[in-house]
Amino acid sequence: MNTHKAFILGVALLSTIGVKAQFAIDNYKAVFTSSPQHVPTTKTPDAPLAGNGDIGITMGGTPDKLCFYIGKNDFWRAYPVYPGGIALPGGLDIEIKELQGATYYAEQLPGSAEIRTKFTTPHCQLNLSAWVAATDNKIIIELQSDKAVTAHLRLWAAEGNTSTTAGGKDKVMWVSRSFENTELLRWPTHVALALNSNSDEFSLIPGKKVQLVISVYTNHDTPDWKNKAITEVEKVTEAGVEQLRKEHHSWWNHFWKQSHINIGDSYFEKYYYQSQYLFACSSREGKFAPGIWGPFVTRDEAAWGGDYHLNYNYQAPYWASFSSNHISLTDNFDQPLLDYMEAGRKHAQELLNCKGIYYPVGIGPKGLCTAMWPLTPEEMQEKYSTRENTIDGGYKFLGQKINAVFSVGNMLMRYYSTYDEAYARKVYPYLLACADFWEDYLSLENGRYVIRMDHFNEVMPNKRNGGVWRNRLGDFNSTLSLGLVRMLFQGVMDMSDFLSIDKIRQSRWQDILEKLSEYPLGIGEDGRQSLKNMEKGPQDKEVRPSGLNRVSIHGLILPAGVVGPMTDAAFNTILLEDVAHWSEKQRDPNDWGNTSNNGIETCYPGAVRVGYPSDKILSYLKKRIEMDVYPNSWIVQGGGGIETLAAVPLTINEMLLQSYEGVIRVFPNWNHKKDASFENLRAYGAFLVTSTLKEGLIQGVTLVSEKGRVCKIENPWKGHPVQVIRENGKSDILYGEYLQIPTVAGEKVELNLYTN
């Protein structure tokens, strides 16, 4: 699309946001012209998707034999060893023989959160719509044909993997699946699917729409899970479905009104909104947090159990939601971490003789550990080429001590973004427990605190290394660890001040911050100073600098946020130079930053933060998207699933607005020759920010202060005075590189270039 035309489209969309946001966002639909090829799968499906943050549907199959796979974030086989983890409840098959060989056309509409299809043969045309009610545990599938045809239905529960199933048919059709009474199962899970039909076939009459409604409940929703599912679909009426539709559209309309961007580029805007749509389909306030694949599970034995993988996969999907002002999507993040604290204390005490909490690489809901080594030496030998199944007490820590602290990054993002006191009180005990651990674990040597035996990369036996792995243990001062520990102690101090508690402990925390080892640097083969992954490797081996990469970005930039141009401009310059040399190290010409297996949501926004030119980043990002993306707009990588949904929104948000280091920056890394605008992006300090860049000039900045904090903002018009206009009509003229603006809660403040 012509850039100028794309910008006009964006402006038109922005002007409609206050009216019917979801229908404007539907312009960024994903289109399918062939049947899915990766369904069922243990990883990312390539099919049309819809969901409500708890229940997800994946539309697989061909037009004549459709299969709706039904996933649910709280349906787990609560077993501590893979193949435990998230499981598949079941699905609905719809067979219409007249559609054999039909042309395939489907749309995934992000605004209205709906799948729409048109299947055509010389004999008939079928229009289908499918959506998951945003405010209820119901799936609605609507069908309409231009010719009389017969549809055959099969509601089914997945089988096997130690589960039991049941089913029945009276006024409605229902099936159930349960995990219970199995040795080592930590807690039972039951699910029921009920369909508003007692027949396995129905006729489609021209001009008449048929509505299939499936109700889905687990025992985590209600103790009366089966009866609830059955009685709810027994009561379904056409009027009831229409009311659900109104509530559904209202929810999504509100969601899309929370923020908006326009960058004059319909390609990236599509991935921006589709990514946010897919994450909103995956995560919801008051529901179980999504695992690696969200609710889009199409078979048991999902890769890595579909668990909460704590060395970045669990945290990363949420990162864009903070700046995009979708805070409610992050509400479920903390509970699994809080639920595991008791077990984490035992791990710290029994395995390391330390206070505080120590977490393995994988957990699940309700205090579940998903990542234990196989229970027998024989299984261990088969999978990992060693019979030693008692490593670290049988738990997979993979040489890393930092897993619990990794999640502090998300907690601090939300805290700094909202300054919500109730939230701070909820998570402060977790931060304090992490601080307890690291106060105990850090070693003061020669006047500085050092970190031993916390590893930059996962260290474990596997078939590739023949089960020999201990020779890789011994990292000293991992960059990942140094950055995240610095983030932790600065964060716990900030929260301690905010809540006015534990002030007596701050002197120790400040001492750690002042004496913690510096990030390791070295001179590379090209004579350039560059970042090292660790100060020394196993057996005190010298380590060559490898430059800023995905894992070190986690420790320094995302989620840590402990470096930047204000914190240390010279160090930031070194990191920027490292990014500038990524092209020399990429394994594939289309994979800048080497993100094909992991890290697209980390490397691209990380490059933005250090100041690499935005046009180059977007050029590389487009190549990376095209390298591996599915028709449903899900960018694919080998080592994980929904974390990639943060990649495009976070990259673009960081180009348009930054607020780490306590300073708001408007269009900090955007080509000012390109018009752009954003509305209600969220900044640290609990500010909502709106601004427009047109013809090279920032037109103005609007700040809404939620908590009445002082706003520190970099002067949007460098070297020029700024007029600050308040809602009460008062105005001030401010000067300088950084402006300090006192605010009151709920106040709107306008900033404009001051001209006499």
Side-chain angles (χ1 to χ4, degrees), residues 176-334:
S176 68
R177 189 182 190 197
S178 297
F179 292 103
E180 59 180 340
N181 302 325
T182 304
E183 187 180 3
L184 295 180
L185 197 72
R186 298 304 194 240
W187 31 266
T189 294
H190 310 277
V191 67
L193 315 177
L195 176 68
N196 65 331
S197 172
N198 61 1
S199 173
D200 58 6
E201 68 174 49
F202 63 90
S203 297
L204 281 170
I205 300 169
K208 185 174 177 56
K209 183 187 294 183
V210 170
Q211 293 177 328
L212 302 176
V213 180
I214 305 169
S215 184
V216 185
Y217 281 94
T218 69
N219 59 310
H220 307 298
D221 293 315
T222 172
D224 196 27
W225 50 278
K226 187 171 77 172
N227 287 334
K228 179 83 167 171
I230 293 170
T231 56
E232 287 217 350
V233 293
E234 284 179 347
K235 297 184 293 185
V236 165
T237 63
E238 220 173 303
V241 171
E242 289 312 303
Q243 180 60 34
L244 274 183
R245 195 191 312 273
K246 288 179 183 178
E247 294 172 4
H248 177 78
H249 286 162
S250 177
W251 191 96
W252 282 96
N253 190 50
H254 173 73
F255 175 80
W256 292 119
K257 286 167 64 177
Q258 289 172 334
S259 67
H260 190 269
I261 63 101
N262 160 47
I263 58 171
D265 187 324
S266 59
Y267 180 89
F268 283 111
E269 287 170 0
K270 172 186 173 181
Y271 286 102
Y272 184 93
Y273 290 115
Q274 282 283 357
S275 294
Q276 293 193 333
Y277 161 73
L278 290 172
F279 187 59
C281 288
S282 301
S283 182
R284 195 61 48 90
E285 182 178 8
K287 302 295 184 179
F288 277 37
I292 293 174
W293 315 107
F296 304 113
V297 176
T298 55
R299 54 169 289 184
D300 281 358
E301 301 186 3
W304 300 284
D307 68 4
Y308 304 152
H309 234 58
L310 297 184
N311 57 0
Y312 113 90
N313 303 82
Y314 179 57
Q315 298 87 353
Y318 294 89
W319 290 345
S321 296
F322 300 106
S323 55
S324 294
N325 194 30
H326 297 312
I327 296 296
S328 67
L329 298 188
T330 72
D331 192 68
N332 55 29
F333 173 81
D334 310 292

Side-chain angles (χ1 to χ4, degrees), residues 67 72 92 126 185 205 221 242 253 262 343 370 433 461 523 587 602 685 714:
C67 178
K72 202 168 188 299
L92 176 69
L126 178 80
L185 197 72
I205 300 169
D221 293 315
E242 289 312 303
N253 190 50
N262 160 47
T370 59
I523 303 299
R587 294 182 289 267
T602 303
E714 188 175 82

Side-chain angles (χ1 to χ4, degrees), residues 366-378:
K366 302 177 68 172
L368 173 68
C369 175
T370 59
M372 292 189 71
W373 296 108
L375 301 179
T376 67
E378 290 74 22

